[in-house]
Amino acid sequence: MASPELEILAYITCFGNTDVDSSHLNILKAYRAVSLHLEKFPEDRSRFPNFTSTVKPILARGSAGPLEGDLHSAQYFHGRDGLSEISERHPELEVGSEGCQHPHLTITNSPGLEVASQLIRSRPPRTITYIALGPLTDLACLMTNDASLVRDRIGRIVCMGGALDVPGNTSPVAEFNFFADPYAVKKLLIENAEIMNPTLLPLDRFMLLPLDLTTSHELPFPIYKAKVDPSFETSAKPSKEADKSPLTHFTTSFLEQVRDIMLKFGKDALELHDIVAVWCAIENPPVPDSNVDILASGWKTRSRIFDIERTGELTRGFLVVDRRDDLIAYAPGANRAKVQAELEKHNMRHGTWESTAVPAFVETEREPKDLHPGRVVCVHATPGPSVLLDLLLKRVWGVTM
């Protein structure tokens, strides 16, 4: 809503952090918070260029579960409502009768798959960006339903998901979105490597942002407290509506419990995984009239080859990279001094743990990407966490570092 570079065409909610209906309501809660804020502070309207009554994004429901296998959610982290239980802790933020309508949204009962297809068909070819911030189920269904439409007309697909060379966040080895539906990942990204098929996903227009990249981009809670809400603490001292703007009350109300959880993990910050993906889409629009994809300054990608574990008892969602040809890959139990010496020899950065800097990419991954049909373009560098943090603070809350 605060990005002038984008025209939001639709929100298609799905299962993931919570169930599909709760995700649907959370879009309405966000819109309600911005509406109340702009009623009280109309001078801030210019900060939300996508929040108008003339351009109404469609709000539709997508998939309620994965293509195959058990249904998993991240309610253990995000609460049953997907917003840190604000439905119970802050009932004043409920949408009530607004659940079926909103002046700035077009709410439909049409399936998200149908909405996406109609939008892609109605807009000029190669102009729409599909941003996948949850499980890839809906995109997999879209490809099953009309692969040629996506291949011929989609401009770019930006996806937050997976963990290649770092630990997972929902299990020791898996990132949540890929854990939630590994079958969709297999169908979209891995099967491309197994057969040259013109109906498969156009990987030349797909960009993956894994945990390897996104985890380092954070909103430190002490900065949020200093710049946005001086009264911000934890759920033990809940936000009071009368003390702040409606928008700040809304964000503080779900961040206070997130802070509780993150402190248990030893970090006083919110990791901006999905926000990095939206930032990538903002900075790197589709290139409809050229086969040369030039990224904005500071953004860098590498082509990777991997497979995904779908049914493992302990490894569901694990991205498997073949490292057998890599002479300098870090192995569990390796001598730390030798690893550090190898890092220095190749001028590689040391991480907090050496394994964050390696394993290095295997030789087979350094070949030109068009020699292999199954390569996935993975973002490995952005203009920097501080640049995103400054942009986020300025656009959402109107404050600067």
Side-chain angles (χ1 to χ4, degrees), residues 174-185:
E175 179 275 332
F176 174 75
N177 290 339
F178 281 22
F179 174 89
D181 194 347
Y183 293 90
V185 178

Side-chain angles (χ1 to χ4, degrees), residues 5 29 76 79 112 139 148 154 157 186 190 201 223 257 319 327-328 338-339 354 365 375:
E5 302 89 347
K29 291 172 186 176
Y76 64 90
L139 182 58
S148 60
I154 200 70
I157 301 167
K186 180 76 172 183
I190 315 305
L201 190 72
I223 289 180
Q257 185 157 298
L319 296 185
L327 299 178
I328 63 169
K338 290 184 178 179
V339 170
E354 283 68 39
E365 293 185 320
R375 293 185 175 278

Side-chain angles (χ1 to χ4, degrees), residues 329-340:
Y330 177 82
N335 183 281
R336 176 178 294 184
K338 290 184 178 179
V339 170
Q340 290 182 338

Side-chain angles (χ1 to χ4, degrees), residues 191-267:
E191 289 180 359
N192 274 7
E194 298 173 356
I195 183 171
M196 289 292 287
N197 188 330
T199 66
L200 294 176
L201 190 72
L203 290 182
D204 58 321
R205 283 165 272 151
F206 183 94
M207 296 176 70
L208 180 66
L209 294 97
L211 289 183
D212 310 54
L213 172 82
T214 61
T215 301
S216 62
H217 295 71
E218 302 174 342
L219 169 60
F221 288 132
I223 289 180
Y224 179 84
K225 180 180 175 69
K227 299 292 183 178
V228 179
D229 185 358
S231 65
F232 174 67
E233 293 294 342
T234 63
S235 60
K237 295 182 179 180
S239 177
K240 296 181 179 179
E241 186 176 15
D243 295 345
K244 60 204 71 172
S245 75
L247 181 58
T248 299
H249 175 56
F250 175 67
T251 56
T252 293
S253 294
F254 67 78
L255 287 176
E256 57 196 17
Q257 185 157 298
V258 175
R259 192 180 196 185
D260 291 340
I261 297 171
M262 292 305 296
L263 285 171
K264 292 178 182 178
F265 289 111
K267 178 183 286 190

Side-chain angles (χ1 to χ4, degrees), residues 238-363:
S239 177
K240 296 181 179 179
E241 186 176 15
D243 295 345
K244 60 204 71 172
S245 75
L247 181 58
T248 299
H249 175 56
F250 175 67
T251 56
T252 293
S253 294
F254 67 78
L255 287 176
E256 57 196 17
Q257 185 157 298
V258 175
R259 192 180 196 185
D260 291 340
I261 297 171
M262 292 305 296
L263 285 171
K264 292 178 182 178
F265 289 111
K267 178 183 286 190
D268 196 13
L270 172 70
E271 295 173 353
L272 303 176
H273 304 292
D274 292 349
I275 293 175
V276 178
V278 175
W279 184 33
C280 179
I282 289 171
E283 296 249 319
N284 299 285
V287 186
D289 300 323
S290 174
N291 292 324
V292 179
D293 195 359
I294 301 175
L295 300 180
S297 177
W299 294 87
K300 297 180 182 179
T301 62
R302 288 191 181 100
S303 296
R304 302 296 301 271
I305 301 172
F306 53 81
D307 208 329
I308 188 166
E309 178 60 63
R310 290 169 289 178
T311 59
E313 181 181 1
L314 301 176
T315 56
R316 174 187 172 118
F318 175 45
L319 296 185
V320 181
V321 179
D322 190 343
R323 309 188 197 282
R324 289 172 294 184
D325 292 335
D326 182 10
L327 299 178
I328 63 169
Y330 177 82
N335 183 281
R336 176 178 294 184
K338 290 184 178 179
V339 170
Q340 290 182 338
E342 202 66 46
L343 290 171
E344 294 292 341
K345 176 182 175 182
H346 294 278
N347 296 316
M348 296 178 68
R349 178 180 62 85
H350 289 256
T352 305
W353 300 276
E354 283 68 39
S355 57
T356 65
V358 288
F361 301 106
V362 298
E363 290 298 322

Side-chain angles (χ1 to χ4, degrees), residues 26-39:
N26 289 341
I27 299 291
L28 292 164
K29 291 172 186 176
Y31 267 75
R32 178 181 182 273
V34 175
S35 293
L36 292 175
H37 181 88
L38 296 181
E39 287 175 12

